[in-house]
Amino acid sequence: MTLAPSSDRATTDASEGRRSRRGVGSPARRAVARSPIGYLFVTPYALLTIAFGIVPSLYAVQLAFTDADGGFAGLENFTKVIDDFRFWPAVLHVTIYLVIWLLALVFFVVGLALMVHAVGVRWVSTTLRFVYYLPGALAGASSVLLWLFVLDPTASPVSGLLGAMGLDSFVQVIQPGHLPAIFAIIAFWTGAGGWIIIMYGALNNISTEVIEAARIDGANAVQIALRIQLPMLRKWVAYMGVMSLAAGTQLFVEPQLLSQASNAVVPNDYSLNQLAYQYAFQQNDFNGAAAISLILLVVALLLSWVFVTRGGLFEKE
Amino acid sequence: MGAATALLALAGCGSGGSAANGKYGFPEAEQETSSTITVWVDADRQAAAKAFQAANPDTKIKVVTYDGSANGSNSFRTKMQLFDRAGSGWPDVVFSSQNNDAAWASQKSGGKQAFAAVLDKGLVPKETLGDFTEGSLDPCTVDGRVYCLRNDLAQAVLWYNKPLLEKFGYALPTTWEEYQALGEKVAEEHPGYIVGTAGDAWTPEVYMWASKCQANDVTGPKSVTVNTASAECKRAASMLDTLRDKGTVPVVSVFTPEFLKKYSGKVLMMPGPAWYAGAIFHNPESLDVPAGQLGVAAPLTWKGENEAVTGNVGGGTWFVSSHSKNLKAAQKFVRFVTTADEYQVDAAPGYPAYAPAAEKWIAKQEASKYYATSLQPVVTAASRVWGGWGYPTFSQEAIWAKTITPGITGGKSIVDLLPTWQTAIENQAKVNGYVVK
C-alpha cells in the first residue's frame, strides 16, 4: 500500500541542481523534451495509465451509477453505502489513521532529513540513509507479516516494552482503540525511509550561497533549518503529503492481514477499501463497491488539491 | 431434525432456487461425458483427489488447490462471482471448509443461475443421501433442497484428561451446572489448570449453540430470527463470565503460542469440536498429550432438560457446479470423496459425515489405543447438533470476534455485551439481505 518513492528522482533533482548551478542543462533539457524521443519515453507509462488507471476508473463510474441489471440508478448506490452501519466507522478509522500518519511523516521525515543532512562525517551520513531506507525494501504484505510477530507479546522481540504498557496478549495489543496508531506505525516504518532520502536530496538542492549568507548574518543551525531550509522544502513536503494521502486513504493490506491473523478480532470491514471489497465479494454488489471507491477518489482528489495549492507544487521556480 | 422440517415447511417462500428446467432441477449445460472435470480442493483434501484417481483411473480430473475459504477468506464465493461475471470458467467440483456457502450458492445472484447443483433431485441417489448422519446435511439444505455433500462433522464434545481428573478426585460432570461448579473448584484447589477456553471465534458455536441460544435462527433463504436476550443465551454467557473471572476458562485462542506456553499439560477438560483431537491434543506441534490420557464425554445438558444438544464448528462441504459439462463425473467424484472408505476411513483426518464410514473411522481411531476412553460419545454427539442454529451467508464467528472478543478484553462481561451482540448480528444480517425478526 505504502508508495515507496524511488530515490532516483531525488538524486536526479539533486544532480540537476548541481548541474544548473554549473550553468549547464536547462536550455538543452527543454530541447530534449520537445524531440520525438521524449514521446517514446512517455508512451509506455501513458499506455499503462490508460489501461490500468483511467479505463478502470471510468468503469467504476459507470458501475456506481447503475444497478445490478445495468439500469440507471442515480445516487441510489451512494445513499445505500452511506447508510450502511459500517460506513461511518470506517471513515473515522481511516481519518484517524491518516492524521496520525501524515503528522508523523511530516515531523519525523523532515526532522530526520535535516539531522542527517547536518551530519558532517560522510560515512555516518551514508550509513544512516541506508539504515533508514532498509525497512522500505520490505513490500507491504511481508512487512505486515513481520509486524504480526512484533505485535504478539509471546513472540515479540520488544515484548518487554509491550508488557510495560500493560499488554500481555495479542488480543490486548490489537484492541480497536490501538489500531489507527498500529497501522500508522507500520506504514511509517515501511514508507518513511524513502521519503527521508528524497528530502535529503531536496536539501542538497538548496544552494550553498543562501546558507552561507545566512551564516554570515549570524543564523545558527536551528534558525537556518527553520527559516531557510524548511520554507525551501515546502514543495517537497507537499509532494510527500499528496503521495502519502493517496496511499493512505486506500488502507487495505494492513487491516486485511491483521484481520486474518487475529481470526477476525480486527474486523474485515475496518477501512473503506475493505468495505468496498466486502461489498463486491461478500455481498456480490459491485455497484456499491464502485460507489465507495468513487467517494474515496473524490475525497482524495479534494485533499490532494489542497496540498497542491498550499504547497505550491506546480509553481515554477 | 428441526431445521430441515422448518425449512420444508417454509419451502415455497422466496424465489431463490434456479428454474427447474433440467432433469435434475436446474438448467444444465451441454453434457460431454468424456470431458475432464476441474476439482478445487484445499491442501488437506488433495489426498481425497488422489484416492479418487487411484480408484477411478478412467475419469479424467484436473486438481486445483486453493485455500478452501479457510479463516473467513471467502475466496470460494469471490472466485465464483467473478466467473459469474465472466460467464465461464467455473470448476466442476469445489471443496469448502466453511458451512456458509450453500446459503449463497443455492441462490441466483445478479440474474445468474445459482452456482450449486441441486443434488437431491436425482443427481445423487436417495439412498446415498439417506446414509449421511442425521442432521449432517443441514448446512447444505436450503428451502428443503440439498446443495452440497458434507465431508466431515465438527460436533462439539467434552474432551478431558482422564488420569488428571482421577488424580484430582473429581467426578466427570454431566450437566453444565456441574461443569461450572467444577470450574470454580479447580480455580481454588488447582489454580493454573483450565476446564475450557473462550478466546476463539467459534466460542459461540461451542457454548451458545449448545445452550440453544437463539442468535442465529435461519428460518428461510433470506430470513433470520435473532434473540440474544433469551434465558438460554444468558445462562451460557454468565457461566462463561464466571469461569473467566476464576481463570479456568481463559479468553485465549487455542492456536496461539500463548496458549501452549501457559496451558500445556494444564488442560483438565475442554469442550470443543471433534477435530480438537487431531488438531490440538494429539498433535506434536500443539498440546501433544501422550497416549492413554485423552478421554471424551458426551455433550452436557442444562438442568431440567432431558436431552443434551451440541454445537458444531465447521466441517467441510463438497459442491457440484450447476454449470458443469460433465455432471456424471462430478457427482461420481463428490460421492466417492464423501462416502468411499479409501478416503473417508483410510485417509481423512476428520469425523466422516457419512454414517457407515464414520463407524469404521471410529473403530480405526479406537484401535490406535491413543484414547483413554471409548469414542462412542463422539458418535452420540454427531446426531445431536441443535437445529435451531442455522447457516446464513454471513459468518457468526466473525461477528463474535469483532464485537465480543475486544469487549471482553476491555473488561466487559459477555452478559453485558449480549445486546451489542444482538445489534451486530442484526446489522450484519441486514446488509447481507436478510429480513431480521
Side-chain angles (χ1 to χ4, degrees):
Chain A
M1 176 215 84
T2 315
L3 244 121
S6 79
S7 52
D8 312 354
R9 171 133 195 192
T11 37
T12 28
D13 261 87
S15 58
E16 269 168 24
R18 277 198 296 275
R19 261 217 309 275
S20 51
R21 276 202 298 281
R22 286 200 302 270
V24 191
S26 311
R29 248 199 4 259
R30 269 202 290 281
V32 169
R34 272 200 295 273
S35 75
I37 195 90
Y39 292 113
L40 189 73
F41 283 135
V42 169
T43 307
Y45 176 80
L47 285 177
L48 289 173
T49 304
I50 291 168
F52 296 105
I54 295 172
V55 172
S57 305
L58 292 175
Y59 181 52
V61 172
Q62 184 205 324
L63 279 177
F65 289 102
T66 51
D67 57 22
D69 306 325
F72 183 70
L75 294 175
E76 224 171 276
N77 289 317
F78 293 92
T79 50
K80 175 179 62 190
V81 299
I82 289 171
D83 286 343
D84 189 312
F85 77 102
R86 298 168 293 183
F87 182 80
W88 291 110
V91 170
L92 185 71
H93 295 154
V94 174
T95 310
I96 298 173
Y97 158 77
L98 273 178
V99 169
I100 298 177
W101 184 41
L102 289 180
L103 284 178
L105 262 188
V106 171
F107 269 103
F108 290 109
V109 166
V110 175
L112 286 168
L114 284 169
M115 272 193 261
V116 175
H117 196 258
V119 170
V121 191
R122 197 185 170 93
W123 68 267
V124 175
S125 154
T126 332
T127 314
L128 278 176
R129 274 177 288 152
F130 178 69
V131 168
Y132 288 151
Y133 191 67
L134 217 48
L138 274 177
S142 43
S143 72
V144 179
L145 289 178
L146 182 95
W147 275 89
L148 287 180
F149 286 99
V150 177
L151 295 173
D152 188 342
T154 45
S156 175
V158 292
S159 55
L161 189 67
L162 293 170
M165 289 193 256
L167 305 168
D168 315 319
S169 72
F170 185 49
V171 179
Q172 284 177 328
V173 174
I174 54 170
Q175 290 247 35
H178 302 168
L179 290 173
I182 288 176
F183 295 140
I185 291 169
I186 296 177
F188 182 84
W189 184 81
T190 46
W195 287 116
I196 291 172
I197 295 184
I198 289 199
M199 292 295 158
Y200 182 85
L203 284 169
N204 281 341
N205 243 347
I206 298 170
S207 87
T208 39
E209 285 100 344
V210 179
I211 308 283
E212 203 61 41
R215 270 213 194 93
I216 290 165
D217 288 343
N220 62 22
V222 175
Q223 283 168 317
I224 288 177
L226 290 179
R227 309 240 170 131
I228 313 276
Q229 290 172 308
L230 260 188
M232 290 183 113
L233 277 184
R234 192 178 67 144
K235 220 183 238 196
W236 290 102
V237 175
Y239 174 62
M240 179 170 77
V242 170
M243 294 304 248
S244 308
L245 187 85
T249 47
Q250 297 171 30
L251 180 67
F252 180 81
V253 176
E254 286 85 346
Q256 190 74 3
L257 280 176
L258 261 187
S259 176
Q260 290 212 10
S262 66
N263 291 319
V265 173
V266 173
N268 57 11
D269 47 27
Y270 184 81
S271 76
L272 281 169
N273 231 354
Q274 283 181 293
L275 189 58
Y277 184 83
Q278 290 292 319
Y279 259 89
F281 298 120
Q282 165 70 33
Q283 293 159 236
N284 198 18
D285 182 349
F286 285 79
N287 311 88
I292 295 175
S293 311
L294 271 199
I295 293 171
L296 262 180
L297 180 69
V298 170
V299 170
L301 281 177
L302 283 175
L303 289 169
S304 302
W305 179 76
V306 171
F307 273 97
V308 168
T309 49
R310 308 294 307 170
L313 205 55
F314 295 153
E315 289 165 15
K316 279 255 186 282
E317 279 181 16
Chain B
M1 202 67 221
T5 42
L7 287 169
L8 274 168
L10 279 152
C13 13
S15 54
S18 28
N21 54 0
K23 68 175 172 234
Y24 301 127
F26 55 90
E28 275 173 46
E30 186 93 14
Q31 295 298 300
E32 297 167 25
T33 45
S34 62
S35 62
T36 306
I37 56 166
T38 306
V39 178
W40 280 23
V41 293
D42 67 349
D44 285 348
R45 250 49 60 168
Q46 281 172 317
K50 278 204 184 75
F52 176 83
Q53 271 167 314
N56 302 278
D58 302 342
T59 311
K60 293 197 288 284
I61 65 169
K62 179 173 167 242
V63 181
V64 176
T65 310
Y66 84 121
D67 70 352
S69 272
N71 295 335
S73 76
N74 214 15
S75 49
F76 173 24
R77 189 179 188 185
T78 306
K79 298 274 199 310
M80 294 314 123
Q81 287 179 352
L82 290 173
F83 292 138
D84 274 350
R85 290 185 86 76
S88 67
W90 302 276
D92 300 87
V93 172
V94 179
F95 171 84
S96 167
S97 62
Q98 305 295 305
N99 291 159
N100 306 58
D101 291 310
W104 63 262
S106 63
Q107 307 296 306
K108 272 188 180 162
S109 89
K112 302 287 192 313
Q113 78 180 56
F115 168 78
V118 182
L119 302 181
D120 63 338
K121 276 196 168 177
L123 192 56
V124 174
K126 280 269 181 290
E127 46 278 17
T128 306
L129 294 171
D131 277 340
F132 276 82
T133 301
E134 191 192 334
S136 66
L137 293 178
D138 284 2
C140 294
T141 310
V142 178
D143 244 2
R145 290 267 155 244
V146 178
Y147 290 92
C148 57
L149 294 184
R150 192 84 177 272
N151 180 70
D152 55 306
L153 293 185
Q155 68 277 33
V157 290
L158 181 63
W159 296 106
Y160 67 100
N161 187 317
K162 193 163 178 259
L164 197 60
L165 198 72
E166 285 163 0
K167 191 177 126 194
F168 289 170
Y170 297 137
L172 192 65
T174 55
T175 66
W176 286 106
E177 285 83 358
E178 288 171 13
Y179 168 82
Q180 181 177 331
L182 180 75
E184 291 174 43
K185 215 169 7 184
V186 170
E188 273 169 41
E189 297 172 4
H190 304 279
Y193 286 85
I194 57 170
V195 297
T197 56
D200 285 292
W202 53 82
T203 299
E205 290 161 331
V206 173
Y207 298 97
M208 295 292 183
W209 191 337
S211 179
K212 298 186 184 172
C213 167
Q214 198 185 23
N216 191 30
D217 192 359
V218 180
T219 51
K222 281 291 167 198
S223 53
V224 63
T225 306
V226 184
N227 177 18
T228 64
S230 67
E232 285 84 359
C233 301
K234 281 208 171 104
R235 65 189 181 186
S238 82
M239 176 187 79
L240 287 174
D241 285 335
T242 307
L243 294 179
R244 186 181 64 251
D245 288 342
K246 298 274 178 202
T248 44
V249 179
V251 187
V252 178
S253 162
V254 293
F255 288 123
T256 53
E258 186 186 353
F259 172 75
L260 298 182
K261 213 159 135 182
K262 282 186 181 161
Y263 303 114
S264 283
K266 301 269 185 182
V267 179
L268 177 63
M269 54 179 60
M270 193 149 83
W275 51 261
Y276 269 13
I280 297 171
F281 297 109
H282 191 191
N283 177 356
E285 312 268 297
S286 188
L287 287 179
D288 201 14
V289 175
Q293 293 192 2
L294 185 65
V296 60
L300 304 168
T301 50
W302 284 92
K303 234 186 211 117
E305 297 189 355
N306 43 16
E307 198 187 52
V309 294
T310 193
N312 166 78
V313 185
T317 46
W318 293 94
F319 286 83
V320 171
S321 163
S322 64
H323 307 281
S324 174
K325 289 196 176 71
N326 194 349
L327 287 166
K328 199 163 150 264
Q331 71 87 24
K332 186 172 163 189
F333 182 90
V334 295
R335 267 176 62 207
F336 178 91
V337 293
T338 51
T339 65
D341 291 357
E342 289 97 315
Y343 174 63
Q344 285 293 352
V345 179
D346 301 345
Y351 182 93
Y354 187 66
E359 260 173 64
K360 296 177 197 161
W361 186 88
I362 285 286
K364 186 184 156 200
Q365 296 290 325
E366 286 182 335
S368 75
K369 295 280 179 272
Y370 173 76
Y371 299 91
T373 62
S374 146
L375 288 177
Q376 212 44 46
V378 182
V379 182
T380 311
S383 56
R384 294 275 183 83
V385 177
W386 182 58
W389 185 289
Y391 305 90
T393 55
F394 55 92
S395 162
Q396 284 284 352
E397 293 186 0
I399 296 173
W400 180 271
K402 173 183 165 178
T403 52
I404 307 287
T405 308
I408 301 171
T409 316
K412 292 198 184 85
S413 73
I414 302 179
V415 173
D416 294 343
L417 288 164
L418 286 176
T420 316
W421 190 35
Q422 168 98 17
T423 313
I425 299 170
E426 285 179 0
N427 281 337
Q428 202 64 38
K430 280 177 197 153
V431 295
N432 280 281
Y434 280 79
V435 176
V436 183
K437 290 190 197 71

